[in-house]
Amino acid sequence: QVQLVESGGGLVQAGGTLRLSCAASGSIFRINAMGWYRQAPGKQRELVAGITSGGTTNYADSVKGRFTISRDNAKNTVDLQMNSLKPEDTAVYYCSMTVHSIVRWGQGTQVTVSS
């Protein structure tokens, strides 16, 4: 059974930084796309950043220049470095990986940015 476990969320002041990490475990042969999504209260889940197996990245306009996604294919991990955080970045953040053509989700980690 493949599982994704996230870490690194928390409370930070506006302008601060956080780094989220997500590790996949289980019997894994191939992971295609990886990404980070977020869901704020009363809003739909949205893509924050994605990265392909070849390293191509894409970002939501709202986080471009502030967030950086990276992956380690040998360790089956994906990280999200978040700089210059804003109160509107407050949300539950979920990692996602396409493992053997099946989209898997982590349990979510809370990020709260105070003004």
Side-chain angles (χ1 to χ4, degrees):
Q1 183 72 5
V2 175
Q3 289 187 323
L4 306 186
V5 178
E6 298 136 341
S7 61
L11 173 65
V12 65
Q13 288 188 333
T17 65
L18 281 175
R19 187 176 182 88
L20 305 183
S21 296
C22 177
S25 62
S27 180
I28 297 171
F29 301 102
R30 180 175 177 83
I31 301 177
N32 296 105
M34 296 182 176
W36 286 94
Y37 290 73
R38 68 187 180 188
Q39 187 166 18
K43 295 187 177 181
Q44 290 188 331
R45 189 174 298 188
E46 63 175 355
L47 174 67
V48 176
I51 185 167
T52 68
S53 57
T56 300
T57 59
N58 65 290
Y59 297 92
D61 288 343
S62 60
V63 307
K64 283 181 181 177
R66 299 188 297 121
F67 291 10
T68 302
I69 189 171
S70 60
R71 64 187 285 169
D72 186 326
N73 291 328
K75 296 181 179 179
N76 294 330
T77 60
V78 60
D79 291 348
L80 185 68
Q81 177 67 41
M82 304 186 293
N83 300 330
S84 303
L85 282 160
K86 303 176 181 180
E88 50 263 43
D89 295 319
T90 295
V92 178
Y93 284 69
Y94 300 88
C95 76
S96 173
M97 298 186 187
T98 302
V99 183
H100 309 152
S101 300
I102 298 174
V103 178
R104 308 280 185 172
W105 294 91
Q107 80 283 0
T109 185
Q110 177 71 44
V111 171
T112 303
V113 184
S114 63
S115 58

